[in-house]
Amino acid sequence: MKSAHLTTKQMMILVCFISFGTIFFTLPRTLAQASGHSGWLSILLGSLMVIPTFWLITQIGSAMQEMSIIAYCLSLFGPVFGRVYALLFLLPLLFFAAIIIRILAEIIVSLVLPETPLELVIIMLLVLRYYLAQGGMLSIARWGEIIAPVIVLMFVTMFALSMENVDLERIEPFFSASLMEVWKGSLGICSTFSEMIVLLYIYPQIKKKAQVLPALLWSMFIVLCLFEVTFLITMGTYGSAFTQRLMFPVIELVKDIAIFEFIEHLESPFLAVWIFINITKNSLLFYACCVGSRDWFGTIDIGNLMIPISIIIFYLSMIPDNINASIVSFEIAKGVTFWLYAFVLLTILWLAGKMKARRTANEKPA
């Protein structure tokens, strides 16, 4: 397995993919259901709420030195309780890796390959991210760099061509929701950004660690702008009531795009771009699962763990019964709980690290 020294640009591309990848196609629906026309305000509030989590990530990352978050838990809490506490980080990561690949497979089957067995698509996606992750973080980061310009071009094209269908009256009123509804919508956004804690699994491989916090903030700002534009254009095209009924509002948005009035049905290339984003995100999550499992079991090489973890992820991904359970129920559950869950775990870890550092300093001879 090759070691890597990720540049700041590579790290920003990866964390943008982490936040933007899975939620993009369903974002307008979930926000419209939670906070109606005020979904744009939920995006802004949720982005601001996650800043303390970013600060915790950088503080813990600096304290870990050359360890991943799982090894750091073991060093703080010992081999027994440390492994128990580390599971609180590792098990949700495995679950996210499984459910994201299930969501991706569901969308491919429902929109592109309706006659293909879901299990076959999941296996195919697992093989893709297995080979991408096999090259290590450098392979994943370079793949992200290659596809990033294509993704930017496609999204600029989508936003520009969709503007002619936008009616400002469908977006108004901008402040239609109560504070509680705005708060409810912001939780999903905050939980989405909180997925960036995956960086703590690969923190030793980041080249310029002093730039991590500014990079996280800039990445959040970029994704925030993409979320805002996506939400406002979708709402301006369909209105709140109709957007709430669409499973994949952005797909419907792309279907309505026409170039020169004769090039239509552009959803396939946009879906392909979205698949590229999620393959990158899935590969990073899979690699992080392997790194975390290696440190938890105390092995040396993550290569021996990749196939067993792939099998575990496959069976976990098959747990949801249908597309509604795998997409809608997952969004609701994660939106309500994950931000607070991650923040509490990171806060405890940060405090434990501070206490250990203070205890070590007091034990040193004067």
Side-chain angles (χ1 to χ4, degrees):
M1 192 67 61
K2 299 177 182 178
S3 60
H5 296 284
L6 302 182
T7 65
T8 303
K9 182 180 75 171
Q10 290 172 334
M11 186 192 70
M12 287 181 64
I13 290 172
L14 291 175
V15 295
C16 284
F17 286 178
I18 289 169
S19 302
F20 191 66
T22 310
I23 196 175
F24 170 63
F25 276 163
T26 59
L27 172 76
R29 169 178 53 78
T30 55
L31 283 176
Q33 290 172 346
S35 46
H37 294 271
S38 300
W40 68 272
L41 191 56
S42 295
I43 296 172
L44 182 59
L45 179 60
S47 301
L48 295 175
M49 285 165 54
V50 83
I51 292 177
T53 302
F54 290 166
W55 181 82
L56 284 172
I57 289 172
T58 57
Q59 292 296 305
I60 293 170
S62 298
M64 291 190 315
Q65 297 179 353
E66 294 303 313
M67 294 181 284
S68 78
I69 189 171
I70 304 301
Y72 187 57
C73 289
L74 298 180
S75 70
L76 285 180
F77 301 121
V80 179
F81 183 70
R83 280 187 166 82
V84 174
Y85 196 79
L87 284 177
L88 299 178
F89 287 101
L90 189 56
L91 292 180
L93 183 67
L94 279 167
F95 176 73
F96 282 175
I99 203 68
I100 288 169
I101 208 167
R102 172 64 182 272
I103 292 171
L104 184 57
E106 289 278 13
I107 292 175
I108 292 173
V109 169
S110 61
L111 298 178
V112 183
L113 303 170
E115 302 299 324
T116 305
L118 181 67
E119 295 84 353
L120 181 61
V121 176
I122 291 175
I123 290 172
M124 184 172 60
L125 293 172
L126 283 170
V127 170
L128 281 174
R129 71 178 183 177
Y130 174 88
Y131 279 105
L132 189 57
Q134 200 174 35
M137 275 308 305
L138 191 60
S139 174
I140 299 171
R142 285 177 176 172
W143 165 253
E145 280 187 299
I146 291 170
I147 64 172
V150 179
I151 291 166
V152 171
L153 178 62
M154 293 294 283
F155 282 120
V156 169
T157 303
M158 183 191 77
F159 293 144
L161 295 177
S162 298
M163 288 300 296
E164 64 176 357
N165 299 323
V166 173
D167 186 346
L168 188 60
E169 292 182 357
R170 298 192 187 102
I171 303 176
E172 297 175 335
F174 289 102
F175 300 96
S176 62
S178 66
L179 289 176
M180 185 57 65
E181 289 171 333
V182 172
W183 166 261
K184 182 180 177 182
S186 68
L187 291 177
I189 299 298
C190 196
S191 292
T192 297
F193 282 122
S194 296
E195 291 183 48
M196 291 186 187
I197 64 172
V198 73
L199 279 181
L200 291 174
Y201 291 84
I202 60 169
Y203 212 88
Q205 302 188 50
I206 297 174
K207 192 173 184 180
K208 297 181 179 179
K209 296 178 175 58
Q211 297 181 6
V212 170
L213 183 57
L216 287 175
L217 294 174
W218 273 110
S219 301
M220 180 198 71
F221 178 74
I222 293 169
V223 176
L224 169 120
C225 293
L226 290 171
F227 282 168
E228 293 283 16
V229 174
T230 303
F231 175 77
L232 292 173
I233 288 179
T234 307
M235 291 287 284
T237 304
Y238 300 116
S240 178
F242 190 60
T243 300
Q244 293 180 43
R245 295 197 297 267
L246 297 172
M247 178 64 77
F248 308 117
V250 177
I251 285 289
E252 300 301 324
L253 192 72
V254 175
K255 286 181 179 178
D256 291 338
I257 292 175
I259 303 177
F260 306 122
E261 298 184 354
F262 66 89
I263 300 177
E264 299 179 344
H265 300 291
L266 298 174
E267 60 270 20
S268 294
F270 280 97
L271 181 61
V273 168
W274 184 77
I275 290 173
F276 287 159
I277 294 174
N278 276 277
I279 287 175
T280 311
K281 176 178 179 176
N282 287 339
S283 299
L284 176 56
L285 292 180
F286 176 64
Y287 181 83
C289 287
C290 294
V291 169
S293 299
R294 176 200 64 190
D295 294 339
W296 197 88
F297 287 108
T299 58
I300 298 175
D301 185 16
I302 70 172
N304 297 328
L305 297 169
M306 295 179 78
I307 291 179
I309 291 173
S310 296
I311 295 172
I312 292 171
I313 289 174
F314 172 79
Y315 283 105
L316 285 175
S317 70
M318 297 305 300
I319 291 176
D321 294 330
N322 50 50
I323 189 171
N324 186 74
S326 59
I327 296 179
V328 179
S329 300
F330 169 69
E331 289 173 347
I332 294 172
K334 191 185 78 167
V336 170
T337 61
F338 184 66
W339 163 65
L340 184 59
Y341 177 85
F343 184 76
V344 170
L345 285 184
L346 290 176
T347 301
I348 294 172
L349 197 62
W350 173 69
L351 290 173
K354 285 293 184 182
M355 291 173 62
K356 182 178 180 180
R358 183 177 299 177
R359 190 166 55 250
T360 303
N362 291 335
E363 290 174 356
K364 288 183 178 180

